[in-house]
Amino acid sequence: MQKLSARQPLVSVIIPTFNSERFLEKCLSSLKRQTYERLEIIVVDDESTDSTIGIAERYGCKIIKNPKVGRAAAKNEGVRHSFGEYLVFVDSDMELTPNVVSECIDLVESESHVGGVVIPERSVGNSFWVKVRDFERSFYAGSVVESARFFPTKLVKEVGGYEENLIFFEESTLPYKIQKKGYNVFARINSVILHHEENFSLITWLRKKYYYGKTIQVYEHKYRDYSRMQTSVGFRFYLFVKSYRRFLSRPELAFGVILLKSLEYLAMVSGAQALVGIK
Ligand SMILES: Nc1nc2c(ncn2[C@@H]2O[C@H](COP(=O)(O)OP(=O)(O)OP(=O)(O)O)[C@@H](O)[C@H]2O)c(=O)[nH]1
Ligand SMILES: [Mg+2]
């Protein structure tokens, strides 16, 4: 247990919420169990109608109530209310293993030019599709497909935080802007975040991808060079082929990944088309 000392930099944890009662308690109790203790927890809520606020109050979080503006704007609002020297953006359905924050601090303070730290994620849930997503994600380790979520506050404020008028890959817009300033945003720790997806439904997921598809063009236009790798289905299949032995060692999951990627691609393209159709 790292002894709490004023010399330790304060870390602000920013959690966007919207009717997040299902997993928020798991998330907040995992923050209380962090070996790094100098944390402030900021919950930025968009008019939840469930017990999200009650849970956040019970855990003594700083609560920012937002009109419904979406998660990118909520995260930026959290930055405006933070006092930390560092920021970590955590989703309300994420459970941090105990050394996540202390490893991020050690990494950013021991290496120069680190502008963002990637925290490995594991998808948790019993459904076939969650196992497929966890298997798929394991091939992206260390690649540009992953987005950092721990940052020096100074840099986040300098680049203006997350992009608010798009939702497609919004989590990559902040590290992208910091990378443009010449910082490494792909530093990576070992401790993992558990992403709770016990409530995963394929239909809801594809409907979300259709909705995200509506802002593909905005993303690809504004983040062209970064997005090419990030969003390219070809690049992801290259990562699977690069480790083909491991990929094929679980044929049922490999088939699931190919099917899921194809369905997501169709959903996103039809979302983009729907927009073109409207114009
Ligand atoms: N404030 C706010 N938070 C939101 C909103 N929608 C989602 N969130 C939060 O954003 C985070 C990510 O939302 P999820 O629905 O878990 O997204 P995901 O399905 O894991 O992943 P992707 O959507 O693919 O990124 C969670 O903390 C949600 O509570 C919103 O409209 N407003
Ligand atoms: Mg989630």
Side-chain angles (χ1 to χ4, degrees):
M1 185 72 70
Q2 279 188 345
K3 274 280 103 298
L4 188 61
S5 76
R7 213 180 30 69
Q8 282 184 321
L10 178 68
V11 174
S12 304
V13 183
I14 295 173
I15 310 173
T17 56
F18 176 61
N19 290 342
S20 308
E21 68 181 2
R22 172 113 194 230
F23 299 116
L24 185 59
E25 180 116 25
K26 268 191 200 308
C27 174
L28 296 177
S29 61
S30 79
L31 290 167
K32 295 293 177 197
R33 289 195 305 275
Q34 286 299 299
T35 52
Y36 192 87
E37 295 176 343
R38 197 135 194 260
L39 305 179
E40 69 167 345
I41 305 172
I42 304 173
V43 164
V44 188
D45 186 71
D46 277 14
E47 299 172 348
S48 288
T49 52
D50 65 1
S51 62
T52 295
I53 296 294
I55 297 169
E57 279 164 352
R58 238 177 328 106
Y59 278 81
C61 302
K62 185 190 285 187
I63 299 170
I64 315 294
K65 294 191 177 165
N66 251 359
K68 190 90 178 71
V69 287
R71 60 185 178 186
K75 291 189 267 188
N76 291 342
E77 184 65 16
V79 176
R80 285 186 279 274
H81 289 81
S82 69
F83 293 101
E85 212 176 305
Y86 295 100
L87 303 168
V88 59
F89 296 93
V90 171
D91 291 352
S92 58
D93 56 1
M94 289 181 167
E95 186 179 351
L96 281 65
T97 51
N99 296 326
V100 163
V101 178
S102 63
E103 282 182 28
C104 288
I105 287 279
D106 292 349
L107 181 51
V108 81
E109 303 222 322
S110 61
E111 282 183 30
S112 63
H113 276 311
V114 172
V117 180
V118 171
I119 306 170
E121 265 176 58
R122 299 295 313 264
S123 292
V124 178
N126 298 327
S127 87
F128 169 70
W129 292 114
V130 175
K131 292 193 173 62
V132 163
R133 279 182 39 76
D134 190 51
F135 184 65
E136 174 201 344
R137 203 194 291 275
S138 72
F139 290 88
Y140 302 153
S143 80
V144 296
V145 177
E146 296 183 312
S147 291
R149 50 176 69 247
F150 180 97
F151 307 92
T153 308
K154 185 171 92 22
L155 292 178
V156 173
K157 290 189 171 168
E158 272 173 28
V159 301
Y162 289 91
E163 172 86 40
E164 293 185 14
N165 61 22
L166 64 78
I167 191 153
F168 183 75
F169 271 107
E170 56 83 22
E171 69 273 13
S172 68
T173 56
L174 173 56
Y176 166 83
K177 292 191 269 185
I178 293 177
Q179 186 189 46
K180 278 286 199 194
K181 291 175 74 73
Y183 290 87
N184 167 19
V185 295
F186 292 105
R188 195 172 193 267
I189 63 167
N190 297 317
S191 282
V192 304
I193 277 180
L194 306 175
H195 189 169
H196 284 277
E197 302 193 277
E198 282 87 344
N199 57 348
F200 184 91
S201 103
L202 186 60
I203 299 302
T204 316
W205 181 253
L206 294 176
R207 208 178 283 133
K208 217 194 265 204
K209 294 297 172 185
Y210 175 86
Y211 171 60
Y212 293 175
K214 292 178 186 298
T215 54
I216 283 184
Q217 268 110 15
V218 180
Y219 179 82
E220 292 192 336
H221 175 67
K222 206 162 178 199
Y223 298 92
R224 188 174 305 287
D225 48 351
Y226 196 77
S227 74
R228 196 157 295 124
M229 300 290 270
Q230 269 267 351
T231 58
S232 110
V233 177
F235 177 68
R236 287 162 193 249
F237 278 91
Y238 156 74
L239 291 174
F240 304 148
V241 170
K242 205 172 77 173
S243 317
Y244 70 91
R245 276 200 187 77
R246 188 166 74 81
F247 191 65
L248 297 176
S249 69
R250 302 293 305 273
E252 79 290 3
L253 295 178
F255 172 74
V257 170
I258 294 166
L259 184 56
L260 186 62
K261 290 285 103 189
S262 314
L263 292 172
E264 285 176 7
Y265 185 74
L266 288 175
M268 281 195 272
V269 168
S270 25
Q273 290 309 320
L275 203 70
V276 173
I278 295 169
K279 280 191 189 141

